[in-house]
Amino acid sequence: MALISVHDLTVDTRVKHASLELHRCEMLGLIGPNGAGKSTLLNAIAGVIESEGKIHVEDKDVQVLDSKHRARLIGLQPQSVESAWSIDVNDVVELGRIPWGDSDQNAIQQAIKWTDIEAFTHRRINELSGGERARVWLARVLAGRPQVLLVDEPIANLDIHYQLSVMNVLWNYAQNNHGVIVAIHDLSLAARYCDRLCLMHKGNIIAIGNPEKVLNEEILSDTYGIPVHVNLKHQPPIVIPG
């Protein structure tokens, strides 16, 4: 049984009849040009925006659950998050426990450790750099221990060290009997870390499958409108403009 199954999901013209599955211990990468519908798809699965279609986590129809129960099953890390208040980093991470109605310190401290933010947990969120804040917001959603973790461009503001660190965190989280769907622009990192990929363009799923199937030079060149060079035999894999 799939951990999460999405069938015929539609959001006006932004996502059209999208269907996919995610299994436990799997990381699925959403790839495609800007405006392809990746963020919209993640937000629809999380219930942030209205959609048509079916979404099940195992045997549960999440569309009939209240917001707290849905958030226990599906956690979303948006592409951009801002805080309206100047609060301590530790308190931000603790917000991830709201769906559970507790302050489970084991979950909170584990999320802080995973994202390597121990050094500034007592600083205020507005005092941090963009990259540091991105890791704090990721720690917040990890503290909720969702079965399905949806992450939208988690490495966009990070240096190369923390890009790899965050991708390792996501991969390890998936391996711990969870599932992760990550929207990512870096195709080389997508090939390196994701078990399967879902290529989107203009709201449609163009291809879905293992990296060898989806990272096809002809398909990518048609989708992105430029020549793309792919070498998956190289370690790590290389996918760059050709």
Side-chain angles (χ1 to χ4, degrees), residues 158-223:
L158 303 180
D159 62 39
I160 55 176
H161 170 81
Y162 281 112
Q163 285 181 9
L164 295 180
S165 176
V166 165
M167 293 302 291
N168 279 317
V169 168
L170 298 179
W171 188 85
N172 285 322
Y173 190 77
Q175 291 299 303
N176 192 25
N177 210 32
H178 300 111
V180 174
I181 304 179
V182 55
I184 182 170
H185 276 299
D186 190 316
L187 301 183
S188 296
L189 288 180
R192 180 173 177 175
Y193 284 95
C194 296
D195 301 287
R196 291 188 301 128
L197 298 173
C198 176
L199 175 62
M200 298 188 69
H201 185 43
K202 296 182 178 178
N204 296 296
I205 293 179
I206 303 301
I208 188 166
N210 61 37
E212 290 77 12
K213 174 184 176 181
V214 177
L215 296 176
N216 173 282
E217 289 186 350
E218 182 177 352
I219 295 174
L220 292 178
S221 297
D222 288 344
T223 302

Side-chain angles (χ1 to χ4, degrees), residues 28-176:
L28 174 68
L30 290 184
I31 60 174
N34 290 332
K38 303 184 297 295
S39 296
T40 301
L41 179 58
L42 291 179
N43 280 289
I45 294 172
V48 175
I49 58 177
E50 293 186 2
S51 62
E52 298 177 358
K54 301 290 186 181
I55 305 170
H56 285 82
V57 174
E58 294 186 324
D59 61 344
K60 299 180 181 68
D61 180 353
V62 298
Q63 290 158 303
V64 302
L65 300 178
D66 62 43
S67 59
K68 280 191 176 181
H69 283 86
R70 187 166 181 161
R72 291 177 184 178
L73 295 172
I74 304 174
L76 172 67
Q77 172 59 27
Q79 184 173 348
S80 178
V81 185
E82 296 295 335
S83 175
W85 302 280
S86 177
I87 59 178
D88 287 348
V89 165
N90 197 78
D91 294 334
V92 172
V93 180
E94 189 173 328
L95 293 174
R97 298 302 303 173
I98 287 177
W100 298 96
D102 64 30
S103 299
D104 185 334
Q105 288 302 308
N106 180 59
I108 292 167
Q109 295 306 314
Q110 184 67 70
I112 288 171
K113 182 178 180 181
W114 279 340
T115 51
D116 194 18
I117 60 172
E118 297 101 321
F120 44 84
T121 52
H122 295 294
R123 292 174 60 189
R124 294 188 177 275
I125 187 70
N126 63 320
E127 298 173 351
L128 304 181
S129 69
E132 290 169 337
R133 287 197 300 270
R135 286 151 52 207
V136 171
W137 295 120
L138 178 59
R140 180 190 63 165
V141 71
L142 287 170
R145 301 278 180 88
Q147 293 298 306
V148 179
L149 177 60
L150 311 176
V151 196
D152 194 357
E153 290 296 333
I155 61 173
N157 295 314
L158 303 180
D159 62 39
I160 55 176
H161 170 81
Y162 281 112
Q163 285 181 9
L164 295 180
S165 176
V166 165
M167 293 302 291
N168 279 317
V169 168
L170 298 179
W171 188 85
N172 285 322
Y173 190 77
Q175 291 299 303
N176 192 25

